[in-house]
């Protein structure tokens, strides 16, 4: 069920708000044992809210149940970030995004499983165990917003919120056959999103189709004085029949041939609705992952310093303060988080800062400049969303291989530009393939509308 | 030339109503952990928002210190773990601070001293730890986060201070400055002004020696004592053929000595990097001009005005601007019509002298500008003599009207010259021996006669009139 279907049922009173939540709850009860997509169920609370709520057509998300990635604060609810370190911590305040969604009528039904602190591309790096892909339980649902994609795919909710740094809403959406938007940096407030990489993180919607994603995005974005990196929305309209570029460097990258073949199909489909294609070049595309794997660990090494066991969350006691820090953080964080904190700490250290962090910042600026330059020649860039389709749980053990999953979703974050992923066909094993449209800052709506058009043309 | 090289770092807590990056009350002495919120507690998901009022105050201070303002001053994260620092990093300015290359000029000894300012930047304060008993043995500590996130300005001097006395005078002048422009209480006991000093002894060839940083200085006096101790310690060490180690030392108030800290604590790599949650602080020329115009005057500017407009000496102007209360008191008296020079002399010499003797200070007594200007005006108009005025200072300080006291004590000047002539006559008659000596050419004795007449008048005769009449009478002998 998508948002407009749910609205029709609610409007015609074929279903009550409570029944809609109960429907979601039923799906959760039936499948959660297999999927492990939820950390904190909120169905009881959701039903209480639904009971008191009458469908209001003027609100774009009235009575629509949704799932929230567990790194986004909901006042009074547990906030784990998929980690042990937060223990029983409950947020004392509400994120701007969920607050705005509540104003638009949406009802949160669960907080979802995720790779710890949003670091991961498969949903396997959670202290609460891996999430399984609802389309095939043997497969990962993608990450880091693993539970949020699984929840929508399994019908726990009609849409969900994830957070996207290196592709954490787009790649899991692609793996689960969903749509998702990484918004222009600053358009959705980060207030109440637990920071991983502050200069890149954005909350993004995940849904059955791109029109739904856009409806959610519109309801939650906007200037927020609580986030100093927040910007006011000022739309960039792309032409009806856009000029689209496919970076020629895709050929140099390790991308599944079936996906590359599907890219050509997608190109044809777009040409069918009037798009014109020219070649573009992003020469440093291949350095995206390395750049990202220095910038994000550096920022997260500081962002995660607050989890020290002094004020809240896990505390492993020791009479000596330094030991208490070490024990708490050793027990509290998982391997991937520790790896990134160590890399980031190293990259920022005296004597290594110039060689690593600063160099990465320079490369980030270069890649961003190449993207802007390409987007001055074309309206939209088309790429696959991920180099592979969903893979088997446990099949990727090498962290570098895991990092490479984000190859095609990293550059937009580095440049702060929006991207939309939408489902486009399946591979020979029947696993969904996602295609991705990237555009200039503030072209989010145009990109989503274009993606929606392709989805409809299917 | 001194062989000492001293540089000083001062942290000044800004007086903005709210904290640097959140809306919490910025106040001292409240119930612990009552002025806190998700932002200053560093709760997951919270984000900082810059307090414009605090940045304005920082700019005021930078301008008052004659700094060059950097139009773009980015915020950075300074990373270290400590329970009083909830985020595990402090937001501060680093590579390009808000102000650079300034100076502070202040009265010192008989002249002035100029201290060059390297930089001034804004940052947030940490919380406060309370250890039960000795810090090394205490099994638990309490943290109060009320102070956490309070706005601070850090001011760093060039290594251009040469003596502990100069260092103390600089600290005094800086505190005075922040109080005058109203950006801080400057109260060291509340931690609103904190300082660390760097000190080294020059090598025989004049090059700088190895510097030592001294922390834990809780008063200006501590700063001076710590520097005196360090100077001696380092000189002795070098004299004995030893070498000064670059280190951070703690001042121990009870012994007046400094002690090295564990070397572990010195190996801090703060891993500064640009704060991604905040855009850089941006200031443009028109903002700077506006702040400059709206800013209260600095002690230096006021002293200059006193010299120019009132003809006061550089020294007097310096004394009058040594604290805000004295300056305001003085200006109020002048506004009431009292002559600046007389007011200055009464305020800085007579009143201060009396205060020193009695252990009082301005504001502790009933003395008001109105009362002092009344007294000065009585002197200005010749109604009472300087001499009489001095005698009624205790009454004025106790809140009495000087005119009333002068009348009660019969101190109003004798305006009738014939009465004074009568006194002169009596004095000449009563001192035949001196008259004889005068006649024999010991003319210097005129001073004696003047004094005797003044004494006989009980200070009620104007000295100039007495002098004229005595000389007239003597010339007729």
């Amino acid at each position: 069920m998508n948002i407009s279907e749910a609205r029709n049922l609610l409007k015609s009173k074929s279903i009550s708000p409570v029944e809609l939540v109960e429907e979601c709850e039923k799906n959760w009860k039936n499948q959660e044992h297999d999927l492990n997509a939820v950390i904190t169920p909120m169905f009881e609370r959701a039903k209480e809210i639904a009971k008191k709520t009458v469908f209001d057509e003027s609100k774009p998300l009235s009575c629509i149940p949704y799932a929230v990635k567990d790194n986004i604060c909901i006042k009074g609810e547990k906030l784990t970030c998929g980690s042990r370190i937060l223990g029983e911590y409950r947020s004392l305040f509400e994120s701007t995004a969920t607050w705005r969604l509540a104003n638009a009528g949406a009802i949160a039904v669960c907080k979802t499983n995720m790779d710890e602190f949003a670091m991961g591309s498969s949903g396997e790096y959670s202290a609460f165990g891996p999430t399984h892909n609802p389309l095939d339980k043997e497969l990962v649902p993608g990450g880091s917003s693993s539970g949020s994609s699984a929840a929508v795919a399994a019908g726990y909710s009609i849409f969900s919120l994830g957070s996207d740094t290196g592709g954490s809403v787009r790649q899991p959406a692609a793996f689960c056959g969903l749509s998702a938007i990484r918004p222009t940096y600053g358009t959705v407030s980060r207030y109440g999103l637990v920071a991983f990489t502050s200069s890149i993180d954005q909350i993004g919607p995940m849904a059955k189709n791109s029109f739904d994603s856009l409806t959610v995005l519109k309801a939650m974005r906007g200037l927020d004085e609580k986030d100093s990196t927040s910007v006011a929305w000022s739309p960039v309209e792309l032409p009806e029949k856009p000029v689209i570029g496919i970076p020629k460097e895709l050929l140099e990258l390790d991308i599944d041939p079936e996906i590359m073949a599907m890219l050509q199909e997608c190109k044809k489909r777009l040409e069918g609705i009037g798009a014109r294609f020219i070649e573009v070049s992003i020469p440093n595309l291949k350095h995206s992952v390395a750049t990202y794997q220095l910038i994000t660990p550096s920022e997260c090494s500081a962002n995660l310093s607050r989890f020290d066991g002094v004020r809240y969350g896990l505390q492993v006691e020791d009479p000596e303060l330094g030991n208490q820090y070490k024990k708490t953080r050793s027990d509290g964080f998982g391997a991937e988080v520790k790896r990134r904190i160590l890399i980031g700490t190293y990259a920022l250290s005296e004597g290594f800062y110039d060689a690593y962090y600063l160099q990465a910042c320079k490369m980030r600026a270069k890649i961003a400049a190449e993207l802007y330059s390409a987007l001055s020649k074309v309206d939209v860039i088309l790429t696959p969303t991920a180099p592979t389709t969903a893979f088997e749980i446990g099949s990727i053990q090498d962290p570098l291989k895991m990092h490479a999953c984000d190859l095609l979703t990293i550059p937009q974050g580095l440049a702060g530009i929006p991207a939309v992923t939408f489902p486009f066909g399946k591979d020979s094993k029947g696993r969904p393939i996602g295609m991705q449209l990237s555009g200039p800052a503030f072209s989010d709506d145009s990109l989503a509308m274009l993606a929606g058009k392709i989805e409809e043309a299917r | 030339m001194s062989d000492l090289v001293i540089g000083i770092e001062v942290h000044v807590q800004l007086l903005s109503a709210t904290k640097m990056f959140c809306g919490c009350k910025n106040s001292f002495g409240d119930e612990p952990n009552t002025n806190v919120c998700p932002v200053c507690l560093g709760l997951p998901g919270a984000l900082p928002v810059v307090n414009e009022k605090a940045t304005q105050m920082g700019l005021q201070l930078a301008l008052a210190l004659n700094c060059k303002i950097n139009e773009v001053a980015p915020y950075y994260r300074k990373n270290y773990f400590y329970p009083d620092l909830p985020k595990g990093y402090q937001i501060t300015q680093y590579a390009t601070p808000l102000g650079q290359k300034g100076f502070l000029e202040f009265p010192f000894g008989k002249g002035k001293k100029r201290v060059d300012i390297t930089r001034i930047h804004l940052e947030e304060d940490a919380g406060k730890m309370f250890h039960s008993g000795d810090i090394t043995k205490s099994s638990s500590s309490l943290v109060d986060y009320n102070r956490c996130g309070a706005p601070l300005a850090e001011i760093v001097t060039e290594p251009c201070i040469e003596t502990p006395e100069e260092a103390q005078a600089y600290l005094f002048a800086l505190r005075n400055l922040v109080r005058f422009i109203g950006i801080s209480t400057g109260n060291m006991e509340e931690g609103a002004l904190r300082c660390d000093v760097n000190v080294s002894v020059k090598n025989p060839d004049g090059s700088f020696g190895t510097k030592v940083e001294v922390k834990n200085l809780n008063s200006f006096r501590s700063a001076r004592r710590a520097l005196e101790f360090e100077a001696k310690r380092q000189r002795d060490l070098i004299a004995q053929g030893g070498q000064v180690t670059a280190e951070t030392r703690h001042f121990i108030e009870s012994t007046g000595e400094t002690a090295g800290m564990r070397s572990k604590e010195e190996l801090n790599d703060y891993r500064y990097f640009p704060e991604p949650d905040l855009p850089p602080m941006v200031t443009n020329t028109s903002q700077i001009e506006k702040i400059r115009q709206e800013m209260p005057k600095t002690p230096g500017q006021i002293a200059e005005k006193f010299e120019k407009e009132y003809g006061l000496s550089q020294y007097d102007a310096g004394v009058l601007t040594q604290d805000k209360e004295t300056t305001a008191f003085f200006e109020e008296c002048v506004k009431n019509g009292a002559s600046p020079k007389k007011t200055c002399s009464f305020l800085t010499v007579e009143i201060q002298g009396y205060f020193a003797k009695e252990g009082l200070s301005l504001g502790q007594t009933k003395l008001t500008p109105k009362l002092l200007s009344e007294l000065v005006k009585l002197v200005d108009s010749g109604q009472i003599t300087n001499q009489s005025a001095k005698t009624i200072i205790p009454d004025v300080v106790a809140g009495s009207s000087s005119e009333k006291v002068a009348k009660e004590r019969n101190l109003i000047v004798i305006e009738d010259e014939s009465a004074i002539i009568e006194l002169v006559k009596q004095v000449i008659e009563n001192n035949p021996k001196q008259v004889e000596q005068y006649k024999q050419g010991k003319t210097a004795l005129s001073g004696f006669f003047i004094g005797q007449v003044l004494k006989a008048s009980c200070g009620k005769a104007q000295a100039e009139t007495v002098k004229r009449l005595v000389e007239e009478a003597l010339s007729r002998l």
Side-chain angles (χ1 to χ4, degrees):
Chain A
M1 198 190 302
N2 62 35
I3 293 176
S4 49
E5 287 163 357
R7 279 173 74 83
N8 285 336
L9 293 174
L10 286 161
K11 194 184 168 189
S12 65
K13 298 207 162 61
S14 308
I15 194 169
S16 72
V18 179
E19 284 166 348
L20 187 54
V21 174
E22 283 170 348
E23 179 78 24
C24 293
E25 188 182 19
K26 197 180 76 196
N27 290 333
W28 165 68
K29 274 188 177 151
N30 291 341
Q31 301 169 80
E32 183 60 5
H33 178 74
D34 293 333
L35 299 183
N36 193 32
V38 171
I39 292 174
T40 308
M42 295 165 60
F43 294 100
E44 293 308 318
R45 174 183 134 145
K47 282 187 278 185
E48 286 305 310
I49 295 169
K51 263 182 214 164
K52 292 178 216 147
T53 314
V54 192
F55 176 69
D56 177 353
E57 211 185 345
S58 70
K59 293 183 174 176
L61 297 169
S62 183
C63 306
I64 304 294
Y66 77 106
V68 183
K69 189 177 185 178
D70 207 19
N71 60 349
I72 298 170
C73 300
I74 292 183
K75 191 174 178 178
E77 294 296 325
K78 268 182 72 175
L79 176 75
T80 68
C81 298
S83 180
R84 271 169 50 76
I85 205 154
L86 274 146
E88 293 299 310
Y89 177 79
R90 283 170 189 272
S91 182
L92 298 177
F93 63 96
E94 184 84 20
S95 77
T96 300
T98 54
W99 183 77
R100 285 188 169 152
L101 288 180
N103 285 343
I107 301 172
V109 293
C110 60
K111 299 203 76 184
T112 59
N113 204 352
M114 58 183 282
D115 285 302
E116 187 176 4
F117 287 103
M119 298 175 204
S121 308
S122 69
E124 294 167 291
Y125 299 156
S126 166
F128 299 86
T131 306
H132 298 251
N133 192 321
L135 307 178
D136 178 345
K137 317 277 182 287
E138 302 302 314
L139 304 182
V140 302
S144 67
S145 309
S146 53
S148 284
S149 62
V152 176
Y156 295 7
S157 67
I158 292 176
F159 72 89
S160 65
L161 293 189
S163 64
D164 190 303
T165 309
S168 284
V169 301
R170 290 165 287 161
Q171 186 249 25
F175 279 17
C176 292
L178 303 173
S179 154
I181 306 175
R182 176 195 158 80
T184 298
Y185 183 77
T187 56
V188 177
S189 170
R190 290 186 297 113
Y191 189 76
L193 167 66
V194 179
F196 161 27
T197 306
S198 312
S199 71
I200 309 182
D201 299 342
Q202 277 291 282
I203 294 174
M206 305 165 84
K208 290 269 167 61
N209 61 57
S210 296
F211 297 125
D212 277 8
S213 294
L214 181 56
T215 303
V216 176
L217 176 59
K218 281 179 169 172
M220 70 175 168
R221 76 182 164 205
L223 191 64
D224 179 14
E225 60 180 22
K226 289 178 183 151
D227 175 0
S228 304
T229 59
S230 162
V231 291
W233 176 249
S234 66
V236 167
E237 301 282 344
L238 299 181
E240 190 81 356
K241 293 178 176 176
V243 179
I244 302 180
I246 297 177
K248 64 175 186 192
E249 289 79 9
L250 288 185
L251 297 170
E252 300 166 11
L253 304 173
D254 190 10
I255 302 172
D256 182 341
E258 285 193 60
I259 292 175
M260 285 305 280
M262 199 57 81
L263 180 68
Q264 290 309 313
E265 287 300 311
C266 188
K267 181 183 169 191
K268 277 184 209 154
R269 185 80 59 81
L270 279 158
E271 281 167 342
I273 57 170
R276 192 162 58 81
F277 276 80
I278 61 169
E279 194 183 69
V280 291
S281 174
I282 300 156
N284 281 301
L285 187 62
K286 59 180 177 292
H287 294 308
S288 296
V289 175
T291 304
Y292 178 85
Q293 288 299 344
L294 283 170
I295 304 260
T296 61
S298 297
E299 288 191 29
C300 89
S301 73
N303 280 328
L304 269 57
S305 292
R306 67 189 62 196
F307 304 108
D308 58 5
V310 171
R311 293 162 309 281
Y312 50 82
L314 181 76
Q315 183 187 68
V316 183
E317 278 189 61
D318 190 282
E320 205 271 312
L321 179 66
N323 288 337
Q324 183 169 302
Y325 284 147
K326 282 178 205 161
K327 286 183 178 172
T328 300
R329 289 167 65 86
S330 295
D331 276 22
F333 290 134
E336 180 65 17
V337 171
K338 282 180 203 160
R339 178 158 39 237
R340 298 213 198 178
I341 290 173
L342 288 172
I343 291 171
T345 304
Y346 184 78
L348 290 173
S349 302
E350 216 178 309
F352 300 99
Y353 182 93
D354 289 0
Y356 294 108
Y357 178 73
L358 204 61
Q359 198 68 8
C361 288
K362 285 180 191 164
M363 184 48 85
R364 176 183 184 171
K366 216 165 188 174
I367 292 168
E370 288 171 9
L371 276 168
Y372 302 149
S373 159
L375 286 167
S376 68
K377 297 185 188 87
V378 297
D379 301 308
V380 176
I381 293 171
L382 173 69
T383 63
T385 305
T388 68
T389 53
F391 43 87
E392 281 76 16
I393 289 176
S395 65
I396 298 184
Q397 295 296 327
D398 178 355
L400 291 179
K401 282 204 177 121
M402 190 66 92
H403 294 170
C405 293
D406 302 335
L407 188 60
L408 301 167
T409 42
I410 282 171
Q412 299 85 354
L414 294 178
I417 60 172
V420 175
T421 179
F422 57 98
F424 192 86
K426 289 179 177 167
D427 69 5
S428 53
K429 291 176 186 157
R431 298 172 189 176
I433 292 171
M435 287 296 156
Q436 178 176 234
L437 301 173
S438 308
F442 299 105
S443 66
D444 315 32
D445 297 11
S446 290
L447 294 176
M449 295 301 285
L450 183 59
K453 243 195 247 177
I454 307 167
E455 289 164 6
E456 275 188 335
R458 207 162 34 192
Chain B
M1 275 290 277
S2 164
D3 62 341
L4 279 185
V5 179
I6 301 167
I8 302 181
E9 287 169 25
V10 171
H11 285 89
V12 173
Q13 216 173 61
L14 301 175
L15 260 181
S16 58
T18 56
K19 293 185 182 180
M20 189 70 213
F21 300 114
C22 66
C24 286
K25 207 167 100 186
N26 174 31
S27 82
F28 173 82
D30 290 354
E31 188 73 15
N33 296 312
T34 51
N35 300 327
V36 291
C37 75
V39 178
C40 59
L41 285 177
L43 295 185
L47 293 171
V49 177
V50 173
N51 178 348
E52 292 301 329
K53 187 73 200 163
T55 59
Q56 294 251 320
M57 289 179 163
L59 282 170
Q60 288 184 353
L61 183 53
L63 289 173
L65 289 169
N66 309 292
C67 286
K68 175 182 153 283
I69 305 295
N70 287 314
E71 295 201 353
V72 179
Y75 290 98
Y76 280 74
R77 288 183 183 178
K78 177 182 181 178
N79 296 285
Y80 65 95
F81 285 98
Y82 206 61
D84 64 6
L85 189 71
K87 297 191 296 297
Y89 57 85
Q90 177 194 33
I91 305 176
T92 177
Q93 291 174 332
Y94 180 56
T96 315
L98 91 95
Q100 274 173 305
K101 296 192 177 87
F103 64 89
L104 177 61
E105 204 172 46
F106 51 90
F108 184 65
K110 289 218 165 76
K112 283 184 174 181
K113 166 79 188 172
R114 174 184 152 133
V115 168
D116 289 326
I117 306 294
T118 312
R119 57 184 279 143
I120 162 171
H121 71 251
L122 289 172
E123 61 187 29
E124 57 176 341
D125 208 343
K128 217 171 172 180
M129 300 272 285
F130 295 89
H131 308 283
S132 39
D134 183 350
I135 184 168
T136 54
K137 293 175 195 127
S138 179
S139 64
S140 73
S141 301
L142 298 172
V143 198
D144 176 6
Y145 292 104
N146 279 352
R147 198 180 73 177
C148 190
L152 292 179
E154 181 176 334
I155 304 123
V156 183
T157 73
E158 287 290 301
C160 62
I161 298 165
E162 296 182 320
T163 65
E165 291 73 28
E166 274 180 19
Q168 194 180 9
Y170 162 74
L171 289 170
F172 187 86
L174 185 62
R175 180 178 70 182
N176 205 20
L177 178 70
V178 301
R179 284 177 174 172
F180 266 81
I181 61 173
I183 59 149
S184 177
T185 64
N187 291 339
M188 269 190 118
E189 61 276 18
E190 292 174 8
L193 194 150
R194 283 165 258 161
C195 72
D196 303 327
V197 296
N198 287 294
V199 55
S200 64
V201 175
K202 277 184 195 161
N203 298 318
D205 64 1
S207 63
F208 286 7
T210 308
K211 87 179 172 187
V212 167
E213 184 179 19
V214 187
K215 289 180 178 283
N216 196 35
L217 305 169
N218 299 316
S219 66
F220 293 167
R221 193 167 157 265
S222 300
R224 203 196 68 224
R225 285 170 72 208
L227 286 168
E228 282 164 353
F229 177 84
E230 262 308 299
K232 186 172 182 316
R233 187 186 71 88
Q234 292 183 24
R235 282 174 186 142
D236 289 353
L237 196 61
I238 294 164
Q240 287 158 18
Q243 273 191 334
V244 176
T245 319
E247 62 177 342
T248 299
R249 298 175 71 86
H250 262 221
F251 179 64
I252 301 153
E253 191 80 50
S254 54
T255 59
E257 295 179 354
T258 68
M261 298 181 0
R262 282 171 298 159
S263 58
K264 211 171 98 184
E265 292 180 36
E266 295 161 37
L267 297 169
N268 254 331
D269 175 356
Y270 292 118
R271 290 173 279 116
Y272 286 95
F273 75 99
E275 165 59 284
D277 284 332
L278 294 171
M281 175 176 169
V282 177
T283 318
N284 61 42
T285 324
S286 66
Q287 271 173 290
I288 294 172
E289 266 327 296
K290 191 165 178 276
I291 291 170
R292 207 191 288 277
Q293 274 162 21
E294 291 172 0
M295 200 165 84
K297 295 262 178 293
T298 65
Q301 288 168 328
I302 295 171
E304 207 179 297
K305 179 184 127 181
F306 287 173
E307 286 177 48
K308 273 194 190 143
E309 287 182 19
Y310 304 149
L312 299 181
S313 70
Q314 183 186 306
Y315 177 82
D316 280 344
V319 173
L320 282 174
T321 51
Q322 244 170 34
D323 67 80
K324 218 176 152 182
E325 291 70 33
T326 306
T327 307
F329 198 99
F330 170 78
E331 289 195 302
E332 190 64 29
C333 290
V334 174
K335 219 171 93 188
N336 287 343
S339 72
K341 276 190 182 168
K342 260 291 173 284
T343 306
C344 172
S345 119
F346 269 92
L347 194 56
T348 63
V349 182
E350 308 306 337
I351 304 260
Q352 295 295 357
Y354 179 68
F355 280 174
K357 205 175 75 193
E358 302 291 322
L360 298 169
S361 70
L362 211 57
Q364 272 187 343
T365 69
K366 288 184 177 163
L367 182 68
T368 61
K370 189 166 169 270
L371 289 173
L372 181 64
S373 41
E374 186 190 350
L375 178 70
V376 173
K377 280 195 283 186
L378 283 178
V379 179
D380 284 340
S381 64
Q383 286 178 268
I384 63 172
T385 63
N386 234 6
Q387 195 60 32
S388 306
K390 286 176 192 172
T391 66
I392 59 175
I393 278 174
D395 304 275
V396 178
V397 168
S400 304
S401 149
S402 39
E403 192 171 357
K404 195 164 153 258
V405 175
K407 279 184 179 151
E408 278 169 11
R409 301 220 188 121
N410 198 19
L411 295 174
I412 301 297
V413 160
I414 306 164
E415 297 211 24
D416 182 3
E417 283 198 11
S418 62
I420 302 170
I421 291 168
E422 192 52 39
L423 288 174
V424 173
K425 223 162 144 189
Q426 280 172 22
V427 166
I428 288 176
E429 275 173 17
N430 293 343
N431 294 286
K433 210 167 100 192
Q434 282 78 3
V435 170
E436 208 45 48
Q437 286 171 344
Y438 184 87
K439 277 183 182 165
Q440 284 164 16
K442 210 169 171 190
T443 52
L445 272 172
S446 67
F448 165 79
F449 292 109
I450 293 167
Q452 290 298 310
V453 175
L454 283 172
K455 200 174 160 192
S457 79
C458 301
K460 285 193 297 180
Q462 291 290 12
E464 275 169 35
T465 316
V466 171
K467 185 169 176 265
R468 177 166 54 79
L469 295 175
V470 165
E471 278 167 0
E472 272 174 28
L474 291 175
S475 68
R476 284 197 299 270
L477 285 173

